[in-house]
Amino acid sequence: MLWFGNELLDFKLERKRLVERLINEGVLKTEKVIKAMLTIPREEFVLPEYRKYAYIDSPLPILKGQTISAPHMVALMCEVATLDVGHTVLEIGTGSGYHAAVIAEIVAPKKAVNKGHVYTIERIPELAEFARNNLEKTGYSDRVTVIVGDGTLGYPDAAPYDRIIVTAAAPQEPKPLLEQLKIGGKLIIPIGSRYMQYLYIVEKISERQFKRESVIPCVFVPLIGKYGW
Ligand code: SAM
């Protein structure tokens, strides 16, 4: 709860209202994604001065000129990724750690026997530290590993991955990410110019065959690195 002017903000209620809106808009469809969005407290992943805006469906500034993605984009990316319990997921662009926590709630819920794991890479050390603290205080640090580095190179140590989710705008598909996907695995990635992209689902059919589908236009901060900008 937080005072906002004369109004006492009830974050749980705000979260429920936002999730209901995303269901009505057709963004949220799957029970496990809905449950994850209802569970993760976005207010714990934003800067203190933005807590009161945590349930506005918009990106918000975090540290170093970066953003926490809008809830509808997090929800949509989780939906199109068809995440499942037990999946090993690589996220590129940790930012606040919010999206990684939502993924972890789906692939590694507390009571699951066959828990999956989320590896997430952030190039800015201060943000990786911010995310680690946010994940620790919300109880996800056992299911999410934060790595500092160039995510366009992937993370071979834990490969192959069931899913790879890129949360920054790429000029093309980074080759190492395609290599580190399992056969049958999916890469979710915004591809385009620095200013506008399309969200793509890239499914690995065989070592050399990929099926591509574009979902919607979108705008992300740039993916900076060897196979990025
Ligand atoms: N998923 C984040 C969240 O839940 O808050 C939002 C991600 S923000 C839109 C994109 C992030 O990607 C930024 O934190 C940025 O520093 C990071 N980034 C950009 N290029 C990167 C790279 N090559 N490797 C890892 N992180 C990168």
Side-chain angles (χ1 to χ4, degrees):
M1 297 267 214
L2 178 85
W3 284 103
F4 185 34
N6 286 332
E7 205 186 335
L8 190 60
L9 274 186
D10 179 340
F11 287 123
K12 204 171 164 195
L13 183 63
E14 297 280 317
R15 196 180 313 135
K16 190 165 167 276
R17 283 190 184 139
L18 174 65
V19 167
E20 279 167 3
R21 228 180 65 210
L22 294 175
I23 294 171
N24 290 335
E25 287 169 2
V27 178
L28 274 172
K29 296 176 176 152
T30 312
E31 202 50 51
K32 53 194 164 201
V33 185
I34 294 170
K35 187 181 154 278
M37 293 291 293
L38 280 173
T39 305
I40 309 299
R42 191 172 187 250
E43 69 274 15
E44 301 298 339
F45 291 84
V46 299
L47 297 171
E49 58 270 39
Y50 290 105
R51 275 172 76 86
K52 54 184 175 288
Y53 305 123
Y55 294 101
I56 292 175
D57 190 9
S58 163
L60 292 171
I62 44 176
L63 304 170
K64 302 277 171 185
Q66 302 302 315
T67 53
I68 175 173
S69 304
H72 74 267
M73 189 49 71
V74 174
L76 177 70
M77 290 175 95
C78 288
E79 286 284 356
V80 300
T82 59
L83 297 164
D84 214 346
V85 177
H87 275 172
T88 303
V89 181
L90 177 65
E91 183 200 30
I92 314 299
T94 315
S96 66
Y98 173 70
H99 199 159
V102 174
I103 299 168
E105 184 59 37
I106 301 169
V107 305
K110 250 200 179 120
K111 287 186 184 149
V113 185
N114 169 34
K115 276 196 188 51
H117 197 84
V118 183
Y119 296 87
T120 177
I121 312 183
E122 173 54 56
R123 62 179 281 272
I124 302 175
E126 290 89 334
L127 272 174
E129 198 46 39
F130 177 58
R132 276 193 199 110
N133 289 336
N134 296 339
L135 291 160
E136 178 75 46
K137 74 180 170 194
T138 51
Y140 286 88
S141 52
D142 57 335
R143 292 167 273 170
V144 180
T145 303
V146 180
I147 299 132
V148 178
D150 176 4
T152 70
L153 303 173
Y155 184 59
D157 294 18
Y161 300 98
D162 295 286
R163 302 289 184 265
I164 301 181
I165 298 182
V166 182
T167 66
Q172 75 255 315
E173 295 157 7
K175 203 166 152 254
L177 301 187
L178 297 177
E179 288 165 358
Q180 290 171 33
L181 260 187
K182 284 185 188 169
I183 305 285
K186 288 179 188 168
L187 165 68
I188 311 300
I189 183 168
I191 299 180
S193 71
R194 264 179 178 260
Y195 309 105
M196 208 212 105
Q197 308 88 36
Y198 277 88
L199 186 67
Y200 279 87
I201 307 169
V202 182
E203 190 176 348
K204 187 166 181 172
I205 309 294
S206 69
E207 275 312 329
R208 292 215 183 104
Q209 248 190 318
F210 295 88
K211 192 175 108 196
R212 295 172 174 84
E213 186 190 333
S214 88
V215 187
I216 49 151
C218 54
V219 178
F220 279 84
V221 295
L223 180 73
I224 314 248
K226 185 168 179 204
Y227 295 90
W229 293 101

